[in-house]
Amino acid sequence: MERGQVAVLLLLLLSIQGLSAVRVLPSSNPAAAGDTLTLSLWPAADLKGGSWAIGDSLILTWLGDQQAVFPNHSGRVAVNVRTAALTLSSLTLEDSGVYAVHSSDPPLRANASITVLGETLYRGSSYRTTNASIQKPVLNVTLGTKQSRPLESSPVALTCSVSSGSSPSFLWFNGSSEVTAHHRVAFSDGNSTLTILNVSRYDGGPFRCFAFNPVSNGTSKPFVFTVIYGPDNVTLTVNDQHAAAASFVSGSNLTVRCSAQSGPPALLHWAFEGHFLNTTGPSLELVHVNQEQSGPYSCLAFNNETNRSNNITEYILITKSQATLLKLHVWLFPVMPWFGCLLSNV
Ligand SMILES: *[C@@H]1O[C@H](CO)[C@@H](O)[C@H](O)[C@H]1NC(C)=O
Ligand SMILES: *[C@@H]1O[C@H](CO)[C@@H](O)[C@H](O)[C@H]1NC(C)=O
Ligand SMILES: *[C@@H]1O[C@H](CO)[C@@H](O)[C@H](O)[C@H]1NC(C)=O
Ligand SMILES: *[C@@H]1O[C@H](CO)[C@@H](O)[C@H](O)[C@H]1NC(C)=O
Ligand SMILES: *[C@@H]1O[C@H](CO)[C@@H](O)[C@H](O)[C@H]1NC(C)=O
Ligand SMILES: *[C@@H]1O[C@H](CO)[C@@H](O)[C@H](O)[C@H]1NC(C)=O
Ligand SMILES: *[C@@H]1O[C@H](CO)[C@@H](O)[C@H](O)[C@H]1NC(C)=O
Ligand SMILES: *[C@@H]1O[C@H](CO)[C@@H](O)[C@H](O)[C@H]1NC(C)=O
Ligand SMILES: *[C@@H]1O[C@H](CO)[C@@H](O)[C@H](O)[C@H]1NC(C)=O
Ligand SMILES: *[C@@H]1O[C@H](CO)[C@@H](O)[C@H](O)[C@H]1NC(C)=O
Ligand SMILES: *[C@@H]1O[C@H](CO)[C@@H](O)[C@H](O)[C@H]1NC(C)=O
Ligand SMILES: *[C@@H]1O[C@H](CO)[C@@H](O)[C@H](O)[C@H]1NC(C)=O
C-alpha cells in the first residue's frame, strides 16, 4: 500500500469515527528486556493532555507542553506531547502489563497488553516459531465475494483475506466512509466478513477492506458490485415537459422521452393506444403531429436479468395550430354569443 493511501485512511478514520476507536500500537510486542518500546496512538489523535498508566499505576501525565513522570518510571519514560506516544527505555521483565492511555479532552481510552521477554527467550528461535504473538506482517489483502451480481434486496457477503499476517484486524470502507454495523450490515469471523443483509442499488461502493496488525497493514483493491434491480420509477416527458401538464399544437415535432431506473438498463418499447410502435429505445420522435395523434402513449420497460417489466402511459393532447385558432377567433368575433359554445368543440 502506498503512503498516500495510508494517510487518507488515517484521516478518514479520524474524521468518521471520532476518537472512539483509537488503538495503542506497540513498536514491538513482545519486546525484549533492555530495549526501548514506543506505544503510539492509531489513528493519530490530537490530545491536549492525558495520562499513561500500567495496570493501576500511573506512569506520567501531561497537559499542553508540560509532563510529570511518577517516581516508579522517572528517568526512563517520556511522552511526545503532540502525538501522545509513550517511549519507555531500558525495559525489564516487570514492565510487562496492560498500558492504558486516558484523556478527557477529547475523551479517549485505549490500551494494549505488552509482554517483555528476557534477551535469550526473545532471540530464541524456539520462542519465535512457537509463540503466536510474534507478529508476521500482513500481505496481499484480498476482497472476495461469491455474489458479484446480486439481485437487489438479496444478502451478499464480502470476505477479506490475507495470504499471511499474524492475527490481523479488519476495517471496511464504502467509498470514503467506514462501514459500521447497522440494521443492514453485520460483521463476522473477526470482522473479516461483511454481510449486507439486503443489498440495494445504492450500495455501489467501491468497497475496500483494510487489514492491519501492530507491525503492518494493507488495503484491498476496490470492489464494485453490479446490483441487478428494476425497472421502476418509469417516467415519460414530451419535449422535456410532463405530458400530463401540457398540450401541443398540430404541426409541431415532439420528442417523447422515457426513463426507468434499472440495472442493467431496461429495454424500452413504445405503444400508442395499446398497440406497439416500431420504435425501441429511450426516445420516440413524432414529426409534424396532427390532432389524430392525440391519445395514450405507453413506454414499456423490461429488464432481461430481473425478468421484470414496468410501464407508464400518458395522454398526449394535440390541439389545432395557433394559426388555425387565431383565424377561428377572428372569424368568430361577430358571433361572440356562440363563442363559448363553439370553443368547446375546437
Ligand atoms: C510503584 O511500583 C510499586 C511496585 O511495582 C507499586 O506498588 C506502586 O503502586 C507504584 N507507585 C506508583 C506511584 O504507581
Ligand atoms: C482495555 O480496553 C478494553 C476495550 O477498550 C477494555 O474492555 C478493557 O477493560 C481495558 N483494560 C484495561 C486494563 O484498561
Ligand atoms: C494473494 O491472494 C490471492 C487469494 O488469496 C491469491 O490468489 C494470490 O496468488 C495471492 N498473491 C500473492 C502475490 O501472494
Ligand atoms: C430490503 O430493502 C427494501 C427496500 O430498501 C425493503 O423494501 C425490503 O423489505 C427489505 N427486505 C428485507 C428482507 O429486509
Ligand atoms: C470488529 O469491529 C468492531 C468495530 O467495528 C470492533 O469494536 C471489534 O472489536 C472488532 N472485532 C474484532 C474481533 O476485531
Ligand atoms: C454505501 O454508501 C452509499 C453511498 O453513501 C450508501 O447509500 C449505502 O447505503 C452504503 N452501503 C453500505 C452497505 O454501507
Ligand atoms: C501501515 O504501514 C505503513 C508502512 O507499510 C506504516 O507507515 C503505517 O504507519 C501503517 N499504518 C498503520 C495504521 O498501521
Ligand atoms: C423511485 O420510486 C420509489 C418508490 O417507488 C421512491 O421512493 C423513490 O424516491 C424514487 N426514486 C427516484 C429517484 O425517483
Ligand atoms: C420538424 O422536423 C422536420 C424534419 O426533421 C423539420 O423539417 C421541421 O422544420 C421541424 N418542424 C418544426 C416546427 O420544428
Ligand atoms: C420496423 O422497422 C424495421 C427497420 O427499422 C423495418 O425493417 C420493418 O419493416 C418495420 N416494421 C413495421 C411493421 O413497420
Ligand atoms: C439482455 O439484453 C442485452 C442487450 O440486449 C444482452 O446483451 C444480454 O445478453 C441480455 N441478457 C440476458 C440475460 O438475456
Ligand atoms: C402496465 O403495468 C400495469 C401495472 O402497473 C400492468 O397491469 C399492465 O399489464 C402493464 N401493461 C403492459 C402492456 O405490460
Side-chain angles (χ1 to χ4, degrees):
M1 180 159 83
E2 287 167 28
R3 273 172 192 279
Q5 282 174 286
V6 174
V8 167
L9 275 172
L10 293 181
L11 279 174
L12 286 172
L13 282 167
L14 198 59
S15 57
I16 291 150
Q17 56 179 30
L19 297 167
S20 56
V22 167
R23 291 161 221 249
V24 172
L25 293 187
S27 53
S28 65
N29 191 25
D35 279 2
T36 294
L37 174 71
T38 300
L39 301 175
S40 317
L41 297 193
W42 182 82
D46 185 16
L47 308 184
K48 302 195 174 46
S51 63
W52 277 99
I54 171 167
D56 296 330
S57 302
L58 281 171
I59 298 170
L60 57 71
T61 65
W62 81 98
L63 183 64
D65 288 341
Q66 304 294 314
Q67 48 183 293
V69 179
F70 284 79
N72 281 9
H73 287 88
S74 63
R76 61 187 193 96
V77 294
V79 68
N80 178 327
V81 295
R82 260 162 293 281
T83 63
L86 180 77
T87 303
L88 186 57
S89 54
S90 310
L91 291 174
T92 68
L93 303 191
E94 289 70 43
D95 288 325
S96 297
V98 176
Y99 285 78
V101 62
H102 175 215
S103 155
S104 46
D105 184 17
L108 176 152
R109 264 176 204 284
N111 65 52
S113 178
I114 304 295
T115 307
V116 181
L117 299 174
E119 180 77 7
T120 41
L121 188 52
Y122 184 77
R123 309 287 171 209
S125 57
S126 62
Y127 186 89
R128 275 170 171 271
T129 51
T130 56
N131 191 304
S133 67
I134 299 236
Q135 303 276 337
K136 282 200 232 90
V138 162
L139 289 176
N140 191 17
V141 182
T142 308
L143 192 166
T145 180
K146 293 198 176 81
Q147 303 109 310
S148 62
R149 293 173 70 81
L151 194 59
E152 188 169 48
S153 293
S154 66
V156 293
L158 298 178
T159 54
C160 192
S161 59
V162 296
S163 58
S164 76
S166 308
S167 45
S169 302
F170 298 93
L171 294 175
W172 290 86
F173 291 87
N174 168 11
S176 57
S177 310
E178 188 185 349
V179 183
T180 50
H182 57 80
H183 66 287
R184 279 202 310 125
V185 171
F187 294 99
S188 53
D189 301 333
N191 293 343
S192 70
T193 299
L194 164 72
T195 305
I196 303 175
L197 305 170
N198 184 351
V199 75
S200 93
R201 67 192 68 178
Y202 306 110
D203 288 331
F207 289 88
R208 284 183 181 86
C209 72
F210 178 66
F212 64 100
N213 65 16
V215 294
S216 71
N217 58 68
T219 304
S220 69
K221 289 205 181 90
F223 173 80
V224 177
F225 290 115
T226 305
V227 180
I228 307 301
Y229 65 93
D232 50 31
N233 294 56
V234 186
T235 60
L236 197 151
T237 60
V238 186
N239 290 358
D240 299 324
Q241 305 173 54
H242 285 291
S247 64
F248 303 89
V249 292
S250 60
S252 48
N253 294 339
L254 304 185
T255 300
V256 191
R257 263 187 245 283
C258 181
S259 75
Q261 291 186 0
S262 178
L267 309 170
L268 302 173
H269 294 272
W270 293 90
F272 174 59
E273 291 178 332
H275 301 290
F276 278 101
L277 298 173
N278 196 5
T279 304
T280 57
S283 60
L284 174 68
E285 301 287 348
L286 300 174
V287 179
H288 203 77
V289 290
N290 58 49
Q291 282 167 282
E292 286 69 48
Q293 286 172 283
S294 292
Y297 285 81
S298 306
C299 168
L300 300 104
F302 175 65
N303 178 328
N304 65 357
E305 293 204 30
T306 59
N307 218 15
R308 287 203 295 257
S309 55
N310 217 321
N311 67 71
I312 187 171
T313 299
E314 293 281 8
Y315 193 94
I316 298 179
L317 179 63
I318 296 155
T319 60
K320 275 194 176 148
S321 71
Q322 294 291 1
T324 316
L325 276 175
L326 193 63
K327 269 188 227 154
L328 204 59
H329 190 272
V330 170
W331 180 78
L332 283 173
F333 195 71
V335 283
M336 267 313 265
W338 304 99
F339 181 73
C341 168
L342 277 169
L343 192 65
S344 63
N345 296 326
V346 169

